[in-house]
Amino acid sequence: WRLATLAPERVERLILVDSAGLPVGERALPLGWMLARVPVLNRIAEWALPRALVADGVAKAYGGPEQVTAELVDRHFELTLRAGNRRALIERLAQFEPGAAADRLARLRVPTLILWGGQDVMIPPAVGRELAARIAGSELVLFDDLAHLPHEQDPARTLVPVKDFLGLR
């Protein structure tokens, strides 16, 4: 959404999925994300990221450990092993300032679909409702039984409103 506010000519439509950017107050961030914001520790994490930290992050993103399989953790862990991915995540988290550009949201004038997991503990559904209130003409679709990664948890169901929004059905 920041790109859409800074270069609106480059964005025709916008789909936000459990999107960050607004202040969210207290929330359950994965331990690995918190460590990535600590100088020196974040550089260590670039080279040595324990699988257990990834498992913690996946469990929080999926709404609890009962939602997570070893294969799912393996997939997310393997993504952290790809060249540049750890450094990119550390840089992103180090620069993240919730609310820093929130005043720009009122400038958005593109059709916007907002998808949100109703069980998201990382960025609560109230943030999705706030985004919808700030973005004129946006549509919020809340999946009550999904968490921070609704598109991973139930790809078929979350694709339905996306296809409708894009006029592909």
Side-chain angles (χ1 to χ4, degrees), residues 69-160:
T69 64
E71 294 80 18
L72 182 63
V73 173
D74 288 343
R75 182 167 56 98
H76 281 263
F77 183 71
E78 288 167 10
L79 287 171
T80 73
L81 298 176
R82 296 192 70 171
N85 279 2
R86 288 182 184 181
R87 161 117 24 237
L89 179 59
I90 289 165
E91 294 289 329
R92 179 176 176 263
L93 293 172
Q95 295 172 13
F96 185 60
E97 296 178 41
D103 60 320
R104 296 184 196 155
L105 285 166
R107 296 185 210 164
L108 286 176
R109 296 290 181 259
V110 296
T112 302
L113 174 64
I114 303 169
L115 304 178
W116 219 273
Q119 300 299 311
D120 190 341
V121 296
M122 294 170 62
I123 306 177
V127 175
R129 288 189 283 277
E130 178 70 19
L131 279 172
R134 290 184 183 216
I135 302 172
S138 63
E139 175 188 359
L140 172 64
V141 178
L142 188 66
F143 298 94
D144 291 328
D145 59 327
L146 302 178
H148 186 66
L149 300 172
H151 55 292
E152 284 190 26
Q153 290 179 280
D154 195 338
R157 188 163 41 126
T158 55
L159 189 57
V160 171

